[in-house]
Amino acid sequence: MTPTEKSFGRSVELNARLQDVVPGGAHTYAKGLDQYPENMAPVMTHGLGAHVWDADGNEYIEYGSGLRAVSLGHAHPAVLEAVRGQLGLGTNFVRPGVIELDAAERFLATVRTAEMVKFAKNGSDVTTAAVKLARAATGRPLVAICQDQPFFSIDDWFISTTAMSAGIPGSAADLTVGFPYGDLPATERLLQEHEGQVSCLILEAATQHDPPDGYLTGLRDLAHRHGCLLIFDEMITGFRWSEAGAQAMYGVTPDLSTFGKALGNGFAISALAGKREFMERGGLRDDRERVFLLSTTHGAESHSLAAAMAVLDTYEQEGIAARLHALGDRLAGGVREVAEAAGVGDHVVTRGRSSNLVFATLDQDLQPSQEYRTLFLRELILGGVVGPSFVVSAALTDEDIARTVEAVAQACVVYRKALDADDPRGWMGGRPVKPVFRRFA
């Protein structure tokens, strides 16, 4: 089926039905109908490797798989074998299973900067547990988040700071303050302003750029000098930067860190890891006041733990982190080349670490544009490429990268036409895509 022959009728129908029974039509806002061009939001039926198929039978090369969770590719054989083997033995018991010990020891053998680990199902559970533990350890109420980074948790301490804070008492936002990434003097001023009140600094160790020289070491020392904990959110950097996370790559050990996404290759598992002196506060061997750290019915489901161990083994045996970087390098180079050739090199831009590429769509004034993003997403989908980013999975082949670059090249030709017309609306196919965090639908 050629790009112009693609049909989306079945997906349009399913999206309408989803809206009737699921608020927003998706269980994750970033997967919502509003994130894709009008009448071109595919509803998927299955995936294999780096390819997915929608309800209309359209096949796509997929990026950002599972919001960066499926880093090995869909239906990875080693992961499925481990999960199937465990399912026949039971998935959840009234007492810990041997696999819980195996998984914890396997995780700590990889993330050697941590001394203890506790598993849960999603990232918000463990980031909130980390914040609670920091508050208990310091006796302080405030949480300092990196204000330049997009997401930490669905819980009140973070969502209260966003445009979607409806339903959260205003007082919750008073307990969260922000600091800028890469700016130690500004962070120190914040800590001095709230002297003795900040429990922790929480941030991703890196996002689109490596940290400035000495920044993470300086941030750790600054936190400790002011009596608060340093927490790394490694939901993305964990396993995409290196098998042992960004903390190993940059040589800075936080007090606590959180992992998820790639850890289960699509199976639900996350982890809170950290120093024993803090983690034991949630256990049975500490004489201080206990912390209700993490206690979830499904936190240690055996099949997800089996998946995690298979993922860790595959990363180590096959050098997955290095492969993700190599694939991203190839893709970024191709995108830059075709964008320049089409005269939109300043407007269609790849950003971020090679293993975690995003794309920016800029207007005539080189400002971020939802309208041009809509045009670009639309042309990619018509070209057989789907995804909110260029975040690669290890299942991509050289042919997949080449086909993606071809789709980008065609999209850039249309992009140039829209720039020349000084109006992208004729190529959007309907309303523009929208930012996730906004007050009204």
Side-chain angles (χ1 to χ4, degrees):
M1 185 176 284
T2 63
T4 56
E5 292 175 335
K6 274 190 168 56
S7 169
F8 301 94
R10 180 66 173 151
S11 284
V12 170
E13 176 194 344
L14 292 174
N15 276 314
R17 289 170 58 189
L18 275 165
Q19 291 263 69
D20 287 339
V21 293
V22 177
H27 294 288
T28 311
Y29 282 115
K31 298 182 183 183
L33 194 65
D34 57 341
Q35 301 301 293
Y36 288 82
E38 190 168 0
N39 296 325
M40 288 182 61
V43 178
M44 304 306 182
T45 58
H46 63 290
L48 182 63
H51 290 236
V52 292
W53 288 260
D54 70 16
D56 292 281
N58 300 313
E59 179 181 355
Y60 307 92
I61 302 167
E62 186 192 44
Y63 289 88
S65 313
L67 304 183
R68 297 178 173 89
V70 188
S71 60
L72 300 179
H74 297 289
H76 189 275
V79 177
L80 291 186
E81 180 182 2
V83 169
R84 288 181 181 127
Q86 186 58 48
L87 285 174
L89 303 176
T91 59
N92 205 336
F93 314 113
V94 74
R95 279 281 294 143
V98 173
I99 194 170
E100 296 182 43
L101 173 61
D102 293 341
E105 290 182 339
R106 181 66 185 85
F107 178 93
L108 294 172
T110 298
V111 185
R112 295 182 179 275
T113 42
E115 297 172 329
M116 298 186 82
V117 63
K118 195 158 189 181
F119 296 114
K121 279 302 180 204
N122 62 72
S124 292
D125 285 347
V126 290
T127 53
T128 292
V131 165
K132 179 166 51 177
L133 191 53
R135 283 171 163 161
T138 62
R140 298 173 174 184
L142 299 185
V143 177
I145 65 172
C146 182
Q147 63 196 26
D148 301 319
Q149 295 170 348
F151 189 79
F152 291 102
S153 173
I154 65 168
D155 294 305
D156 290 1
W157 62 271
F158 174 71
I159 295 297
S160 63
T161 69
T162 74
M164 289 182 71
S165 60
I168 302 173
S171 57
D174 296 336
L175 296 176
T176 301
V177 295
F179 63 93
Y181 186 82
D183 190 337
L184 289 176
T187 305
E188 182 157 31
R189 289 193 295 271
L190 176 78
L191 293 173
Q192 290 170 342
E193 179 184 351
H194 301 283
E195 190 66 54
Q197 296 297 303
V198 176
S199 64
C200 60
L201 305 177
I202 181 169
L203 75 159
E204 295 179 79
T207 50
Q208 293 187 6
H209 306 284
D210 284 330
D213 289 343
Y215 172 64
L216 294 178
T217 299
L219 193 68
R220 178 198 60 199
D221 295 344
L222 182 61
H224 292 171
R225 190 161 66 247
H226 284 268
C228 55
L229 274 57
L230 179 65
I231 302 172
F232 282 172
D233 177 340
E234 294 238 38
M235 292 298 150
I236 295 172
T237 55
F239 314 121
R240 280 197 174 271
W241 265 235
S242 80
E243 285 81 356
Q247 57 195 272
M249 171 173 285
Y250 299 127
V252 176
T253 300
D255 298 297
L256 301 169
S257 54
T258 59
F259 293 80
K261 292 190 182 291
L263 180 57
N265 199 54
F267 288 92
I269 185 168
S270 60
L272 168 65
K275 295 179 179 178
R276 185 177 304 278
E277 64 181 289
F278 303 118
M279 296 289 287
E280 285 279 22
R281 290 290 300 270
L284 300 174
R285 302 189 303 187
D286 195 281
D287 58 7
R288 292 167 293 182
E289 184 178 0
R290 296 182 72 195
V291 177
F292 196 90
L293 186 56
L294 278 168
S295 182
T296 59
T297 299
H298 302 291
E301 281 179 331
S302 59
H303 62 283
S304 290
L305 297 176
M309 287 192 288
V311 167
L312 292 171
D313 288 344
T314 302
Y315 260 76
E316 182 178 289
Q317 294 163 7
E318 299 183 15
I320 295 297
R323 175 167 174 76
L324 294 175
H325 283 92
L327 287 166
D329 281 340
R330 199 171 308 148
L331 177 61
V335 169
R336 282 194 295 269
E337 183 177 341
V338 297
E340 289 288 350
V344 297
D346 292 333
H347 302 271
V348 175
V349 183
T350 59
R351 293 174 176 167
R353 193 170 191 85
S354 299
S355 60
N356 190 52
L357 288 175
V358 298
F359 54 78
T361 51
L362 309 180
D363 63 15
Q364 293 89 339
D365 299 319
L366 301 183
Q367 296 302 305
S369 167
Q370 294 296 106
E371 288 77 13
Y372 279 97
R373 179 175 175 84
T374 308
L375 175 158
F376 191 64
L377 287 171
R378 178 181 170 84
E379 293 302 320
L380 289 184
I381 290 170
L382 289 172
V385 175
V386 67
S389 66
F390 283 147
V391 175
V392 297
S393 74
L396 287 161
T397 65
D398 289 345
E399 181 183 355
D400 291 330
I401 298 294
R403 285 178 54 195
T404 301
V405 172
E406 289 177 7
V408 172
Q410 180 56 42
C412 287
V413 170
V414 177
Y415 207 112
R416 184 67 258 174
K417 291 178 181 178
L419 287 170
D420 290 341
D422 198 22
D423 187 354
R425 288 176 295 179
W427 290 271
M428 284 168 40
R431 53 100 181 114
V433 298
K434 299 179 180 179
V436 169
F437 288 111
R438 60 187 194 274
R439 289 189 65 192
F440 300 100

